Amino acid sequence: MADRALKIIPSVKSENWQEILSDLITDPKELLHILRLDINKKPVSLSAISQFSLKVPRPFVEAMQQGNWSDPLLLQIWPSEEEEINLNEYTSDPLHEVEFNPVKGLLHKYQARVLLTAAPHCAIHCRYCFRRHFDYKSNTPSREDWSNSLDYIKADPSIQEVILSGGDPLAISDRQLLWLIQELESISHLKILRIHSRVPIVLPQRITPELVAILNESRFEVVIVVHCNHSQEISDNVKTAIEALRLSKITLLNQSVILAGINDEPGILKELSHTLFSLSILPYYLHLPDKVIGTSHFSVTSDKAIRVINSLRKELPGYLVPILVQEEPGASSKTRLV
Ligand SMILES: *Cc1c(COP(=O)(O)O)cnc(C)c1O
Ligand code: SF4
């Protein structure tokens, strides 16, 4: 089995994405300089940065409009002073994930599927992220934790699907990913491998032929759920990456978060659905943001989100309308709002 890795690795391209990952923009001044924006117009929040650093790949910045503070991509990553607003119902773990964490790195919340936090980091820091306060450091699985997770899955034949989530599972190396997939493949009751990742959108250079081969050669049904919130995120490089994935056997879905001032209008989500569909990606979930401290400025009321969805239903075929969901701690699945 290990031969598979040797056959497909060395690649110049894979250095390319790792170079981008090691040269992320983390300095707000540099970001604003590139975007020709004046920091005096909209001060950065240093306390926001100290909680959850600024982190954005350069190719994602290239898809932003210069001189536009309201750019929908910039708003998703800008550590704004609004993050300092403290509201009572906002907490650091609104989903009570700690309770569903039987083994480090594994969440077993819903029947038949478990979620593995396969990577301790992401390629980007999205300010609305519900795991922004998640303690990745103490949840970074060691080899021993991995073997506990694998034992947990082995011992429960009702588990059919493993969801790799994060952090971002595609932020790890091909070698680590291949190791993990092969370990999972040896568990015979597993059928589906699902990868939730924002990397195809924010770091499309990561979708190398080697990565596609690893996924394509797996015995699993492979599903990739990309996380795209706005059609402006779909650059030419993203299109190329998705092209490579759609030529394989992988099923492609998208999930978005509905975010105030970014994509909470039917027109924007309609365009997003059409753009994704032109790349063979079907919409899956539209999440209402979770009430995580520091994210209240992204909040959209459920009434508004329902209105947006109803308006999409009028204008789009059913298969282009995402399911509006919210996560409630203790529920046996994600909760549908309409
Ligand atoms: C969202 C989620 C899943 C997957 O739910 P689906 O409805 O199958 O997409 C599984 N486990 C956890 C912990 C989740 O948050
Ligand atoms: S890529 Fe996903 S997990 Fe990572 S910061 Fe963004 S929303 Fe959070």
Side-chain angles (χ1 to χ4, degrees):
M1 289 283 259
D3 288 347
R4 218 152 89 187
L6 298 176
K7 251 193 298 180
I8 37 200
I9 292 173
S11 133
V12 184
K13 279 213 181 103
S14 64
E15 268 173 15
N16 185 10
W17 70 267
Q18 275 161 330
E19 269 166 31
I20 299 173
L21 259 193
S22 61
D23 184 32
L24 298 167
I25 293 180
T26 55
D27 175 358
K29 288 200 200 76
E30 184 187 4
L31 176 66
L32 296 187
H33 177 74
I34 296 171
L35 295 175
R36 296 178 200 280
L37 287 166
D38 178 0
I39 198 153
N40 298 318
K41 295 261 164 63
K42 199 173 172 185
V44 66
S45 164
L46 295 177
S47 91
I49 289 189
S50 70
Q51 281 176 34
F52 190 53
S53 63
L54 171 75
K55 196 162 137 178
V56 50
R58 288 170 197 274
F60 192 73
V61 175
E62 281 163 24
M64 295 178 189
Q65 302 148 351
Q66 294 203 333
N68 183 6
W69 274 115
S70 307
D71 180 87
L73 279 53
L74 175 62
L75 292 178
Q76 293 180 55
I77 54 102
W78 181 250
S80 124
E81 284 188 319
E82 291 162 303
E83 291 190 22
E84 295 172 24
I85 301 171
N86 259 326
L87 299 176
N88 279 339
E89 73 268 39
Y90 285 68
T91 66
S92 60
D93 179 20
L95 307 181
H96 303 199
E97 284 198 326
V98 176
E99 292 167 25
F100 302 98
N101 206 191
V103 180
K104 202 189 273 185
L106 181 143
L107 289 170
H108 192 185
K109 210 165 142 183
Y110 305 141
Q111 263 178 38
R113 51 231 199 266
V114 293
L115 187 148
L116 292 179
T117 47
H121 57 280
C122 295
I124 188 167
H125 278 173
C126 314
R127 308 309 302 180
Y128 54 84
C129 181
F130 74 96
R131 293 222 176 95
R132 56 181 283 162
H133 302 283
F134 191 74
D135 187 358
Y136 284 117
K137 258 209 184 94
S138 65
N139 250 288
T140 299
S142 62
R143 278 274 158 154
E144 192 191 333
D145 296 324
W146 276 120
S147 92
N148 290 339
S149 289
L150 293 164
D151 287 345
Y152 181 93
I153 299 169
K154 268 178 212 152
D156 184 347
S158 74
I159 300 168
Q160 299 200 334
E161 176 174 8
V162 168
I163 301 167
L164 304 185
S165 176
D168 198 307
L170 295 183
I172 62 178
S173 71
D174 284 353
R175 208 167 277 278
Q176 286 171 298
L177 195 64
L178 184 66
W179 174 82
L180 178 58
I181 292 175
Q182 288 176 339
E183 291 292 323
L184 293 169
E185 279 174 340
S186 72
I187 305 175
S188 58
H189 53 263
L190 290 179
K191 305 208 162 29
I192 303 171
L193 177 73
R194 189 193 327 175
I195 297 175
H196 274 253
S197 175
R198 196 151 157 65
V199 154
I201 306 298
V202 303
L203 184 63
Q205 291 77 3
R206 171 71 183 98
I207 311 303
T208 58
E210 293 76 18
L211 175 67
V212 176
I214 289 174
L215 299 174
N216 213 22
E217 286 167 24
S218 164
R219 74 162 177 86
F220 289 132
E221 305 290 338
V222 179
V223 183
I224 296 186
V225 183
V226 300
H227 292 193
C228 181
N229 294 319
H230 195 289
S231 59
Q232 194 184 313
E233 294 170 25
I234 317 261
S235 63
D236 287 344
N237 280 334
V238 172
K239 285 184 187 156
T240 309
I242 302 294
E243 280 297 321
L245 293 171
R246 83 199 280 204
L247 292 174
S248 68
K249 64 164 193 185
I250 303 164
T251 299
L252 296 171
L253 303 171
N254 179 60
Q255 76 170 24
S256 312
V257 182
I258 186 164
L259 300 163
I262 294 174
N263 63 3
D264 58 341
E265 281 170 35
I268 293 174
L269 290 176
K270 195 174 139 188
E271 189 183 342
L272 175 61
S273 275
H274 279 305
T275 309
L276 291 167
F277 185 60
S278 71
L279 297 167
S280 306
I281 304 175
L282 286 175
Y284 182 34
Y285 283 146
L286 178 65
H287 284 264
L288 217 58
D290 303 301
K291 295 198 179 310
V292 181
I293 295 172
T295 65
S296 63
H297 55 299
F298 291 118
S299 143
V300 175
T301 63
S302 50
D303 284 353
K304 169 147 197 200
I306 290 169
R307 278 201 303 278
V308 169
I309 285 291
N310 283 337
S311 143
L312 289 184
R313 281 201 180 140
K314 277 191 214 128
E315 297 182 46
L316 290 173
Y319 58 87
L320 291 189
V321 182
I323 308 166
L324 181 64
V325 291
Q326 188 172 26
E327 282 208 62
E328 286 170 12
S332 60
S333 68
K334 297 200 201 294
T335 308
R336 293 171 186 228
L337 292 176
V338 266

